[in-house]
C-alpha cells in the first residue's frame, strides 16, 4: 500500500469523524427569547436557507411570540410548522409573520418547513 | 432634522440640499437638478401630496377609535388606559367596554397611530381592523418602499402599512370606518406608482402568485443552464464530434477553459439556491439536499478546473474535465424543482374550492346609504342587503324580509332552508327567492367558512405520526450520505482500477447527487395535504394528520343513537283507530293535534307537525288542562278529548279493548304511543317516534362491509334501543347508558384491544368522543369548532363516517407508497452509485443519470400524492 493510499484512508477517517462531530455531536448555540413589556417572550427568526436563530430557549407557561421573516423565494420554506403545537403559518416572502402560542410542558420541540429540510428546535424550560 | 425630496423621495439635510423651492406656503428641498426640473413642471402636484395625508397642522388634537380584541377589555381597561396615557402626545383615553373600542385623542405631531397600536398590542390586546393587500406596479427602487410606507402610514385610519418589494405589494392594516381602499390607492399614486387592484388576501391566491413567480424564475434558470449544458456536452464528448475530434489536446484544453468559465454562472446563478442554501445550513450545523448538490457539483468543478490547469499532476489520460456533470446536474435539479412546484400547486386545490365559495362584495347599508364594499371591509353590526340569487357575504341574523337559502355547500341539505326575521344566515350560502336584510355577526376570520378553511389548513400542515419516522431518518440522512461519499472515494482510490483518482471522484460525486432526502421529506405532507383536502370537499373536516392515520385502523364504530342514527326529533308515525271508532284517522289526528297545539310537551309538536304535513286545519280548543304525568284533556268542537298514557285511561275508567295490545307492539318498535278517548270512549292511538335518518341503514351496512363492527350506544331503554337497532342492522346495543358513563363504555370496548371510533353530536357526547381513539362529531353546517372531536362531519349524515374511513385508508395507502418508494429509491440508488455493481457487471452509474433520477424522484412523490385527487368516495355528496 502506497503512502498516498494510506494518506487517503486516514483522511477518510478524519473526515468521517469531522462530519459526525460537526453535524451531530457539537453543541449548538442557543438563543434565549427576550421578554417584552407585555410579558410575552419574543423571538425574531429569519428564514433563509435555514432558521436564524435555530435553537431557541423559552420559559414554560408564558406566551411565545415568533416573528418570522422569510428572505428567500424558494418554495421549500414557504410554511413553518410547529407540529407539536399544531401551529403553522404561511410565510410570504419579505413579510413579517407572527405566530403565538404558550408552551406548557418543558421539553424539546422541533419546528420545520413543510418537508423538513429546514429545522429548528424550541427548548422549553 | 431631515426632509424628503418630494420628487424622488430621498432623505436629505435641508442645509445640504441641492436646491430649495417655496410653493403655497410650504418649503421643498431637492437632491438634484432633475428633481427640481420635475417639480417646476407641476409644483402643485407635490403640494397635493401632503394634502392627502390627512395631516392638518392647525388641528393639534386628533381623535381615533380603535376596536380592540384578544382580552376582556372590562378587566384590563384601567391598566391599558394608563399605559396609553403615559405615551407622550396622548391627551385622553377612554375605553368603551360595551363596544370594545378605545377612544384616543392624541397630538399627531408627537405620536402616530402606529405607535398607539404598538402600545395597545404590547398590552396583549389585538387591534381590530381590516387588512388589505395592494399590488404596486413596477416597484423597483428599494428607497421608494419607505416613502410609500410613510405615505400610507400617514393616511387617516391606517394602523400599519408595510411594503414588500419582493412581492411588489403593500399590506395595510386599517380601520374601514376611517378610510377606504380608494384613499389608500390614492396615497400610492401620490408617489407616482400605479396600484394594481388588490390581489386577493386569500392565502391560496397569494401562494399561487408566489408559486407562479418562483416557477418562472426556476424555468429561466433551467433554460440558461440547459443552453450552457448543450455546449458543455459537445466539448465533453469531443471524440465523437466531427470537428472537435481533430483538435489537439492544447486547443481542447483552451476550449475546456472556456467551459469552466461558462459553468460558473450556471453554478452561481442557476444553482445559486444550492450554494446559499448549503452555506446557510452549514452555519446552522445542519445539512440538506442543497449541501449534497453543492458539494457534488462544486467538487466536480474544482477537480475539472484543476485538471485542465495542471494536467501534468494527473496520470496520463485522467486530466479530462467533467464540467458536463456540473451544468447538466444543476439544470436537471432546477427543472425538477420547477415541476415539483407545479405539481404542488394542484395539491392545494381543495382550499381554493372552499375559498371560491366566498362572496367577493357585500351591499352594506351605512348611514342609510347602500354601498358595495369588498367583503373584507364589512364590520360586525353592519346591515347588509341580499337580493335573490346573490351569495350571503358573511354570517349574521336576518333583521328584515324573508327568503329561502340554499345551504347545501355547507350542510349538504339539498332542500333550501326557509329564513325569516331572527334566523341565522351563513356566509357563502346562496339566497334563492326573497330579498332580505341581515345584521353581520361574524366577519373575516370568524365566519363559519373561514373557520372551516383555517381548520383544514391547520390539519394539512399537521403531522401524521408516521411522518416522524421519515423525520428521524432524514435528520441523519445527509451527513450519512456525506460519510458514504467519503468512503466511496477512499475505497475506489485504494482498491479501484486505474485511473483511481477519476473513478473515486466520479463515484463519490454520484453518491452525493443521487441521494434524495426531499423525496423522504415530501412523502407524508403531500399526501396528507391532498387527503385532508379531499375530506373537506366531501364535508369531512379532519382535524389532524394523527386523526387521519388512526381512522384507518378503526375496528369498532360506536354510534350514539339519538341525533346520530336517528333524526333526534320525534315524528308522527302511526294513527290507529279502535275497533268501533267514532272518527276516521284524519279526523282523529285533526282533533288530537288541535289539542296538542296548545300543549308545550315536545311530543305534542311532533303530532302538530304530522297534522300539518297532511294539510289538516286545526280547530279551536276550550278548557285545556294538562294532567302532569298522565296527559291532557280539552274540549274541541263540543267533544271531550283525552290524550295520554295508560295511567290516564285507567284513571278515567276507559275501556281500551284491543288498543292495549296494539300499544304494546308499538312500544316494542321503539315508538311512544298515546291513547285518545273521545267523549269517554277509546277512539285510537297516536304514536310518535324518533325516526331513523333515511341513509343510516345504508351507511351502517357499508361500515360492516368495510369489516368494521358497529355498536349502538344510548340512554334509552333496551326495548326502544333494540327496535331501532333492528331497523338499521346493528346487532350490538349498549342501552340504558347514562350520559356520563358513555366514555366508560368506550373505554371497555378499547379494553377488548380494539381501536374504537365514537360518533356523536359533540355536545352531550364530548367525553366519549375524547375517550375514543377517533371522535367523530356530527355537526350541522356551522358547528365546525367542535372541540372534542378529531373529525367533524358537517353534513349530518352517517355516510360521512364511511367516507372519513375511506379517505383515511386511501390517504394512508398513498403515504405508504410514497415512503416505500422514496426509501427504496435511496436504498437501491446509493449502493449502485457507490459502484457496488461494478465488480460483478462492470456497471457504473453516470452522475448525469444520478442527477436526473434525483430530480424526478421528488416529482414522482408529488405526482403520486396528486393521484389521490381522483379519489371517489362510495357515497358521493353532490
Amino acid at each position: 500500500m502506497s503512502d498516498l493510499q494510506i494518506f487517503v484512508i486516514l483522511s477518510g477517517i478524519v473526515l468521517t469523524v469531522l462530519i459526525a462531530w460537526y453535524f451531530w455531536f457539537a453543541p449548538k448555540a442557543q438563543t434565549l427569547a427576550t421578554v417584552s413589556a407585555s410579558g410575552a417572550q419574543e423571538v425574531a427568526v429569519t428564514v433563509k436557507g435555514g432558521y436564524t436563530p435555530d435553537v431557541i430557549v423559552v420559559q414554560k407557561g408564558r406566551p411565545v411570540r415568533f416573528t418570522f421573516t422569510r428572505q428567500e423565494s424558494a418554495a421549500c420554506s414557504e410554511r413553518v410548522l410547529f407540529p407539536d403545537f399544531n401551529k403553522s403559518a404561511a410565510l410570504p416572502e419579505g413579510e413579517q409573520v407572527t405566530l403565538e402560542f404558550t408552551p406548557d410542558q418543558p421539553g424539546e420541540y422541533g419546528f420545520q418547513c413543510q418537508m423538513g429540510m429546514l429545522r429548528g428546535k424550541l427548548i422549553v424550560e | 432634522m431631515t426632509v424628503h425630496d418630494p420628487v424622488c423621495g430621498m432623505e436629505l439635510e435641508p442645509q445640504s440640499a441641492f436646491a430649495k423651492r417655496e410653493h403655497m406656503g410650504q418649503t421643498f428641498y431637492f437632491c438634484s437638478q432633475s428633481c427640481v426640473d420635475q417639480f417646476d413642471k407641476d409644483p402643485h402636484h407635490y403640494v397635493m401630496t401632503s394634502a392627502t395625508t390627512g395631516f392638518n397642522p392647525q388641528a393639534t388634537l386628533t381623535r381615533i377609535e380603535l376596536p380592540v380584541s384578544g382580552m376582556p377589555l372590562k378587566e384590563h381597561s384601567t391598566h391599558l388606559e394608563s399605559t396609553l396615557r403615559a405615551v407622550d402626545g396622548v391627551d385622553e383615553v377612554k375605553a368603551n367596554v360595551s363596544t370594545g373600542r378605545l377612544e384616543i385623542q392624541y397630538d399627531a405631531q408627537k405620536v402616530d397611530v402606529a405607535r398607539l397600536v404598538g402600545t395597545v398590542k404590547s398590552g396583549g390586546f389585538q387591534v381590530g381592523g381590516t387588512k388589505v393587500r395592494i399590488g404596486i406596479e413596477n416597484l423597483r427602487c428599494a428607497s421608494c418602499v419607505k416613502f410609500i410606507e410613510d405615505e400610507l402610514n400617514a393616511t387617516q385610519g391606517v394602523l400599519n402599512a408595510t411594503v414588500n418589494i419582493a412581492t411588489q405589494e403593500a399590506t395595510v392594516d386599517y380601520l374601514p370606518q376611517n378610510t377606504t381602499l380608494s384613499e389608500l390607492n390614492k396615497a400610492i399614486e401620490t408617489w407616482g406608482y400605479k396600484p394594481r387592484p388588490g390581489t386577493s388576501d386569500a392565502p391560496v391566491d397569494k401562494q399561487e402568485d408566489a408559486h407562479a413567480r418562483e416557477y418562472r424564475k426556476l424555468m429561466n434558470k433551467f433554460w440558461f443552464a440547459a443552453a450552457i449544458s448543450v455546449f458543455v456536452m459537445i466539448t465533453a464528448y469531443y471524440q465523437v464530434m466531427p470537428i472537435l475530434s481533430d483538435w489537439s489536446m492544447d486547443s481542447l484544453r483552451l476550449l475546456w477553459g472556456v467551459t469552466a468559465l461558462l459553468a460558473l454562472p450556471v453554478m452561481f446563478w442557476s444553482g445559486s439556491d444550492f450554494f446559499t442554501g448549503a452555506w446557510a445550513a452549514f452555519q446552522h450545523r445542519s445539512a440538506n439536499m442543497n449541501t449534497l448538490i453543492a458539494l457534488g457539483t462544486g467538487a466536480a468543478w474544482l477537480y475539472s478546473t484543476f485538471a485542465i490547469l495542471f494536467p501534468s499532476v494527473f496520470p496520463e489520460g485522467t486530466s479530462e474535465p467533467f464540467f458536463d456533470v456540473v451544468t447538466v446536474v444543476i439544470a436537471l435539479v432546477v427543472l425538477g424543482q420547477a415541476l415539483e412546484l407545479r405539481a404542488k400547486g394542484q395539491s392545494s386545490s381543495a382550499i381554493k374550492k372552499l375559498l371560491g365559495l366566498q362572496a367577493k362584495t357585500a351591499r352594506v347599508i351605512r348611514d342609510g346609504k347602500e354601498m358595495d364594499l369588498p367583503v373584507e371591509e364589512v364590520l360586525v353590526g353592519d346591515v347588509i342587503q341580499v337580493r335573490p340569487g346573490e351569495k350571503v357575504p358573511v354570517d349574521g341574523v336576518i333583521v328584515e324580509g324573508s327568503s329561502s337559502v340554499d345551504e347545501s355547500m355547507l350542510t349538504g341539505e339539498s332542500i333550501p332552508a326557509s329564513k325569516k326575521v331572527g334566523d341565522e344566515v351563513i356566509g357563502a350560502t346562496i339566497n334563492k327567492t326573497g330579498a332580505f336584510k341581515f345584521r353581520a355577526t361574524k366577519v373575516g376570520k370568524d365566519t363559519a367558512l373561514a373557520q372551516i378553511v383555517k381548520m383544514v389548513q391547520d390539519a394539512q400542515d399537521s403531522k401524521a405520526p408516521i411522518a416522524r419516522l421519515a423525520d428521524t431518518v432524514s435528520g441523519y440522512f445527509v451527513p450519512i450520505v456525506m460519510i458514504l461519499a467519503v468512503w466511496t472515494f477512499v475505497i475506489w482510490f485504494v482498491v479501484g482500477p486505474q485511473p483511481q483518482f477519476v473513478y473515486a471522484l466520479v463515484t463519490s460525486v454520484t453518491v452525493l447527487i443521487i441521494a434524495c432526502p426531499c423525496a423522504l421529506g415530501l412523502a407524508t405532507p403531500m399526501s396528507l395535504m391532498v387527503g385532508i383536502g379531499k375530506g373537506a370537499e366531501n364535508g369531512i373536516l379532519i382535524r389532524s394528520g394523527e386523526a387521519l392515520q388512526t381512522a384507518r385502523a378503526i375496528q369498532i364504530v360506536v354510534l350514539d343513537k339519538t341525533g346520530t342514527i336517528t333524526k333526534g326529533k320525534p315524528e308522527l308515525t302511526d294513527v290507529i283507530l279502535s275497533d268501533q271508532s267514532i272518527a276516521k284517522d284524519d279526523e282523529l289526528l285533526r282533533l288530537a293535534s288541535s289539542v296538542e297545539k296548545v300543549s308545550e310537551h315536545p311530543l305534542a309538536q311532533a303530532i302538530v307537525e304530522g297534522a300539518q304535513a297532511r294539510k289538516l286545519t286545526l280547530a279551536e280548543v276550550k278548557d285545556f288542562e294538562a294532567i302532569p304525568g298522565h296527559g291532557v284533556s280539552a274540549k274541541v268542537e263540543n267533544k271531550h278529548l283525552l290524550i295520554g298514557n295508560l295511567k290516564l285511561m285507567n284513571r278515567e275508567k276507559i275501556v281500551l279493548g284491543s288498543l292495549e295490545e296494539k300499544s304494546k307492539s308499538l312500544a316494542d318498535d321503539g315508538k311512544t304511543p298515546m291513547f285518545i278517548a273521545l267523549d269517554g270512549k277509546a277512539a285510537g292511538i297516536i304514536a310518535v317516534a324518533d325516526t331513523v335518518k333515511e341513509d343510516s341503514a345504508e351507511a351502517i351496512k357499508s361500515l360492516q362491509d368495510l369489516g368494521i363492527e358497529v355498536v349502538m350506544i344510548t340512554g334509552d331503554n333496551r326495548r326502544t334501543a333494540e327496535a331501532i337497532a333492528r331497523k338499521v342492522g346493528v346487532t350490538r346495543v349498549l342501552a340504558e347508558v347514562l350520559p356520563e358513563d358513555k366514555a366508560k363504555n368506550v373505554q371497555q370496548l378499547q379494553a377488548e384491544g380494539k381501536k374504537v371510533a365514537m360518533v356523536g353530536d359533540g355536545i352531550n357526547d364530548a367525553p366519549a368522543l375524547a375517550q375514543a381513539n377517533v371522535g367523530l362529531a356530527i355537526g350541522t353546517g356551522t358547528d365546525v369548532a367542535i372541540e372534542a372531536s378529531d373529525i367533524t362531519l358537517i353534513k349530518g349524515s352517517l355516510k360521512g363516517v364511511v367516507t372519513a374511513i375511506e379517505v383515511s385508508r386511501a390517504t394512508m395507502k398513498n403515504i405508504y407508497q410514497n415512503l416505500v418508494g422514496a426509501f427504496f429509491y435511496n436504498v437501491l440508488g446509493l449502493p449502485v452509485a457507490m459502484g457496488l455493481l461494478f465488480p460483478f457487471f462492470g456497471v457504473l452509474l453516470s452522475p448525469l443519470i444520478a442527477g436526473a433520477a434525483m430530480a424526478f424522484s421528488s416529482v414522482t412523490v408529488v405526482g403520486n400524492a396528486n393521484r389521490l385527487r381522483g379519489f371517489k368516495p362510495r357515497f358521493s355528496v353532490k
Side-chain angles (χ1 to χ4, degrees), chain B residues 123-203:
Chain B
F125 288 91
Q126 271 138 35
V127 175
T130 303
K131 190 178 245 180
V132 75
R133 211 170 287 281
I134 307 169
I136 304 171
E137 272 178 20
N138 296 321
L139 181 64
R140 293 266 180 262
C141 76
S143 61
C144 311
V145 166
K146 175 124 189 23
F147 306 127
I148 298 176
E149 273 178 8
D150 288 348
E151 186 74 44
L152 285 169
N153 276 323
T155 306
Q156 274 268 316
V158 170
L159 304 176
N160 186 30
T162 48
V163 172
N164 185 341
I165 189 158
T167 54
Q168 303 217 331
E169 271 181 341
T171 307
V172 190
D173 285 316
Y174 68 101
L175 302 171
Q177 59 267 47
N178 288 28
T179 188
T180 59
L181 193 57
S182 64
E183 287 294 320
L184 301 177
N185 283 339
K186 238 183 260 169
I188 293 170
E189 279 166 4
T190 53
W191 282 101
Y193 286 97
K194 213 170 147 210
R196 266 185 282 126
T199 47
S200 155
D201 198 33

Side-chain angles (χ1 to χ4, degrees), chain B residues 762-781:
Chain B
I763 302 152
N764 305 322
D765 304 327
L769 289 176
Q771 170 65 40
N773 298 78
V774 180
L776 293 98
I778 290 217
T780 39

Side-chain angles (χ1 to χ4, degrees), chain A residues 38 51 73 78-79 93 112, chain B residues 122 164 217 284 461 463:
Chain A
S38 63
Y51 299 109
S73 62
E78 69 191 0
R79 294 190 78 83
E93 187 189 353
Q112 57 172 97
Chain B
S122 68
N164 185 341
K217 201 165 121 191
H284 289 102
D461 282 338
K463 269 220 157 145

Side-chain angles (χ1 to χ4, degrees), chain B residues 199-217:
Chain B
T199 47
S200 155
D201 198 33
V204 171
D205 289 352
K206 234 166 61 190
Q207 195 177 319
E208 245 175 33
D209 265 13
H211 278 185
R213 257 199 320 274
E214 183 67 8
Y215 178 78
R216 278 196 302 275
K217 201 165 121 191

Side-chain angles (χ1 to χ4, degrees), chain B residues 411-706:
Chain B
T411 63
E413 179 62 59
S414 53
I415 304 158
S418 69
K419 303 276 178 179
K420 54 182 191 304
V421 172
D423 283 347
E424 277 186 15
V425 286
I426 314 166
T429 56
I430 296 171
N431 178 26
K432 286 286 188 194
T433 48
F436 62 86
K437 288 177 186 165
F438 76 99
R439 187 164 37 77
T441 52
K442 282 177 185 162
V443 300
K445 63 180 191 330
D446 298 324
T447 62
L449 182 69
Q451 276 184 303
I452 291 176
V453 170
K454 173 90 178 61
M455 224 184 98
V456 173
Q457 264 182 334
D458 280 352
Q460 284 183 328
D461 282 338
S462 73
K463 269 220 157 145
I466 189 170
R468 309 220 180 247
L469 170 76
D471 273 0
T472 320
V473 173
S474 61
Y476 293 96
F477 186 80
V478 176
I480 286 176
V481 170
M482 286 160 74
I483 292 171
L484 284 179
V486 167
W487 286 98
T488 304
F489 184 94
V490 170
I491 290 166
W492 276 93
F493 191 83
V494 175
V495 298
Q498 286 289 345
Q500 287 131 334
F501 189 79
V502 175
Y503 273 119
L505 195 84
V506 170
T507 46
S508 55
V509 164
T510 313
V511 167
L512 289 174
I513 286 168
I514 201 166
C516 188
C518 286
L520 270 179
L522 277 170
T524 340
M526 290 318 293
S527 308
L528 207 63
M529 183 156 162
V530 181
I532 287 176
K534 207 68 209 173
E537 274 174 36
N538 288 287
I540 294 150
L541 303 181
I542 301 166
R543 201 173 279 269
S544 67
E546 198 173 345
L548 186 87
Q549 185 173 343
T550 326
R552 179 190 148 268
I554 285 305
Q555 291 156 300
I556 298 183
V557 171
V558 181
L559 303 173
D560 179 45
K561 184 186 78 95
T562 313
T564 302
I565 297 178
T566 67
K567 290 175 182 159
K569 204 180 122 194
E571 271 181 21
L572 176 75
T573 55
D574 300 82
V575 181
I576 293 172
L577 303 178
S578 65
D579 301 335
Q580 60 281 4
S581 181
I582 321 110
K584 287 198 177 135
D585 62 351
D586 268 7
E587 176 66 6
L588 188 68
L589 179 60
R590 186 177 70 86
L591 296 174
S593 57
S594 302
V595 175
E596 294 289 11
K597 196 170 169 53
V598 189
S599 165
E600 281 162 0
H601 197 274
L603 294 180
Q605 207 194 339
I607 297 173
V608 174
E609 277 172 10
Q612 280 166 346
R614 296 193 193 185
K615 303 214 163 29
L616 303 176
T617 347
L618 302 189
E620 204 163 306
V621 178
K622 277 185 217 152
D623 307 332
F624 177 88
E625 189 195 349
I627 311 154
H630 291 80
V632 294
S633 85
K635 264 194 161 161
V636 188
E637 293 173 350
N638 291 323
K639 293 187 185 93
H640 183 247
L641 214 71
L642 280 171
I643 307 175
N645 53 17
L646 194 60
K647 258 197 275 178
L648 178 74
M649 295 298 134
N650 288 342
R651 198 181 79 165
E652 303 287 325
K653 301 199 174 58
I654 288 168
V655 185
L656 291 169
S658 65
L659 283 183
E660 199 170 340
E661 199 55 43
K662 282 177 185 159
S663 91
K664 272 202 187 116
S665 81
L666 285 172
D668 281 342
D669 273 352
K671 293 168 184 170
T672 310
M674 282 172 280
F675 296 100
I676 302 172
L678 261 180
D679 292 331
K681 278 183 193 152
I685 301 172
I686 284 182
V688 298
D690 183 6
T691 51
V692 172
K693 289 179 193 167
E694 289 81 8
D695 49 11
S696 289
E698 195 188 341
I700 288 167
K701 175 84 178 40
S702 305
L703 282 173
Q704 287 161 342
D705 288 348
L706 288 172

Side-chain angles (χ1 to χ4, degrees), chain B residues 711-722:
Chain B
V711 176
M712 184 170 102
I713 197 165
T714 178
D716 281 5
N717 66 59
R718 183 154 288 277
R719 217 167 54 174
T720 316
E722 282 183 345

Side-chain angles (χ1 to χ4, degrees), chain B residues 246-302:
Chain B
D246 303 333
W247 282 27
S248 71
M249 220 5 119
D250 282 337
S251 19
L252 276 174
R253 200 158 283 140
L254 211 61
L255 185 64
W256 287 332
V258 175
T259 58
L261 293 178
L262 281 175
L264 283 176
V266 174
M267 287 165 83
F268 297 115
W269 184 64
S270 294
S272 60
D273 285 349
F274 305 132
F275 288 91
T276 51
W279 176 240
F282 184 77
Q283 286 172 313
H284 289 102
R285 286 178 186 274
S286 74
N288 52 38
M289 181 202 82
N290 293 332
T291 317
L292 297 176
I293 301 293
L295 273 179
T297 56
W301 190 87
L302 282 178

